[in-house]
Amino acid sequence: MQSTPDLRDALRHSNAIASLPEDDLLKAEAYRLAFDDPEFLSRREARGIRFQLEMLKPDLGMQQAHVHHTIVVFGSARFLPPDEAARRLQAAREKGDAQAITLAERAVRTSRYYEQSREFGRLVARYGLTQPPGERFYICTGGGPGVMEAANRGAHDMGAPSVGLNITLPHEQSTNPYVSPHLAFKFHYFALRKMHLMMRAKAMVAFPGGFGTLDELFEVLTLVQTRKAQPVPIILFGSDYWSRLLHLDVLAEEGAISPEDLELFCTVDDPQEAWNQIRRFYNL
């Protein structure tokens, strides 16, 4: 996105001021242009402006890339690719460390979700590439490792662009290398990130994951249940995992939700079936 002539002139003026002698009054913080003053923009009172900017920048970027329809994939950032999981298990066995072997064996078991997410990404991308750019479904993830990386990787395998909406965390998480660079966005606020995950979502696929996955899942379920968002396919991948973790029938039995609310989602165990659910919903 190019700057307007007025903005370019203002930035040149600001840069000129920065080159003045140290004792020049024009170097004073108060004289900086407001939009060129990071200390000012970082103040608590400017939080509303930061909200607006964090809403606007990804919106403009995706508009320019003709990304209007996304398939959002959630899931654990901790699951490894099968080859990496196998390498760690071999290393643990060579060391004879019983605890490391147990953890590595678990990593091998959960690595199947990585491969299944990657295959799902391929299926979505393969279909998307047959459509005009503005009508395609694009894979969209939180941009991190694990299941998210796998879905972006599947799109990358097919030569298709995909979206990553990363978040700054105390333990820095960088965007995975399979997100398309022009669609790799970074957020400070979870609320704005969630909004962008939902704005273009035509389906949500939740692979096994932790608190973050559950947070996103129940956010979507609540928005659809309360009709604050249009109905979309909400797909839980991995029946064994979700059946052990969630017992949502209790909510209906106790009258906390309506029985029909249990029909807002479905559970699958195969990437092709997940994609078929979406295709049936939209008559593709």
Side-chain angles (χ1 to χ4, degrees):
M1 182 174 62
Q2 293 184 341
S3 303
T4 64
D6 287 346
L7 181 54
R8 287 197 297 269
D9 290 344
L11 289 171
R12 280 196 293 269
H13 178 63
S14 177
N15 291 334
I17 290 172
S19 66
L20 292 174
E22 286 293 331
D23 58 352
D24 196 302
L25 290 177
L26 296 183
K27 283 281 288 182
E29 183 179 316
Y31 199 78
R32 294 179 192 165
L33 291 164
F35 60 77
D36 198 33
D37 186 341
E39 286 78 14
F40 167 72
L41 288 175
S42 297
R43 290 177 59 130
R44 181 182 61 82
E45 295 87 346
R47 182 176 293 145
I49 299 169
R50 296 197 299 274
F51 279 5
Q52 293 176 8
L53 292 173
E54 199 152 281
M55 178 68 192
L56 182 61
K57 182 179 179 181
D59 195 35
L60 293 177
M62 282 193 262
Q63 284 184 36
Q64 290 172 351
H66 306 291
V67 176
H68 306 302
H69 312 295
T70 60
I71 306 295
V72 177
V73 178
F74 305 142
S76 177
R78 304 184 183 196
F79 295 162
L80 299 174
D83 55 348
E84 173 63 16
R87 186 191 64 77
R88 293 191 184 189
L89 178 58
Q90 181 179 355
R93 285 172 173 168
E94 289 174 355
K95 290 182 179 180
D97 185 331
Q99 183 178 11
I101 291 172
T102 298
L103 294 176
E105 288 175 340
R106 183 179 67 187
V108 168
R109 174 170 51 83
T110 57
S111 70
R112 72 183 187 276
Y113 296 123
Y114 183 103
E115 192 55 44
Q116 289 165 329
S117 177
R118 183 178 179 181
E119 176 58 22
F120 178 75
R122 292 192 194 109
L123 291 169
V124 174
R126 184 179 295 119
Y127 174 80
L129 290 173
T130 68
Q131 306 300 306
E135 298 176 16
R136 291 176 185 172
F137 286 147
Y138 293 84
I139 286 290
C140 176
T141 76
V147 166
M148 296 173 285
E149 174 186 294
N152 291 122
R153 187 175 181 178
H156 185 270
D157 291 341
M158 303 304 298
S162 67
V163 182
L165 307 180
N166 214 326
I167 187 81
T168 55
L169 297 172
H171 301 288
E172 189 64 26
Q173 173 183 280
S174 58
T175 299
N176 73 68
Y178 302 103
V179 174
S180 301
H182 68 293
L183 295 172
F185 303 101
K186 190 173 185 179
F187 291 82
H188 177 75
Y189 297 106
F190 268 108
L192 274 298
R193 182 191 189 221
K194 286 182 178 181
M195 186 171 292
H196 274 290
L197 282 168
M198 280 298 300
M199 282 173 60
R200 300 162 190 82
K202 300 304 177 185
M204 320 293 276
V205 182
F207 281 77
F211 290 154
T213 300
L214 293 174
D215 176 49
E216 300 289 358
L217 172 62
F218 282 104
E219 181 91 17
V220 175
L221 286 170
T222 301
L223 289 171
V224 173
Q225 180 207 41
T226 57
R227 301 183 182 178
K228 298 292 283 185
Q230 292 293 321
V232 297
I234 301 172
I235 301 168
L236 307 185
F237 194 101
S239 58
D240 177 66
Y241 183 89
W242 292 110
S243 64
R244 287 185 292 126
L245 179 63
L246 300 180
H247 299 279
L248 299 184
D249 289 349
V250 174
L251 299 177
E253 291 167 4
E254 296 297 324
I257 63 172
S258 300
E260 56 266 28
D261 291 335
L262 295 173
E263 300 175 7
L264 294 176
F265 61 91
C266 67
T267 306
V268 303
D269 289 295
D270 178 70
Q272 184 66 58
E273 178 56 25
W275 176 231
N276 290 345
Q277 289 284 344
I278 296 168
R279 296 196 69 165
R280 285 194 288 267
F281 188 92
Y282 291 107
N283 295 315
L284 301 178

